[in-house]
Amino acid sequence: FPSHDIAGEDIRYHIETTVRQNEPRVNLLQVDVFSNQEKDSVTINVVFAILSTNQIQSLDVVLRRVR
């Protein structure tokens, strides 16, 4: 997302903070937030490693505005 996208930065911060504080079984590796203003949506990609297996997982979530 563009550096001026405060909402994207806020989303990333809250996801990182929530995962680190509440999910001790994973190592958070990366959180990417992509804004698509044409579709009124935000795509979030979270990459993490499960500590017990060292397996890397990726989770994609799309948030869309409902009118």
Side-chain angles (χ1 to χ4, degrees):
F1 62 89
S3 60
H4 66 276
D5 188 353
I6 301 303
E9 292 175 17
D10 254 1
I11 292 169
R12 181 194 332 243
Y13 170 79
H14 286 290
I15 290 171
E16 288 175 348
T17 301
T18 301
V19 171
R20 288 193 173 115
Q21 289 179 351
N22 297 295
E23 188 47 83
R25 298 170 291 183
V26 302
N27 179 24
L28 188 61
L29 301 175
Q30 184 173 341
V31 176
D32 293 315
V33 179
F34 304 99
S35 176
N36 185 336
Q37 293 180 357
E38 291 176 8
K39 294 184 179 181
D40 282 333
S41 68
V42 175
T43 301
I44 303 163
N45 175 259
V46 181
V47 181
F48 57 94
I50 300 172
L51 295 178
S52 63
T53 64
N54 256 356
Q55 189 176 28
I56 295 177
Q57 299 287 320
S58 178
L59 172 68
D60 290 316
V61 177
V62 178
L63 304 175
R64 289 190 180 94
R65 180 177 179 189
V66 178
R67 294 182 187 194

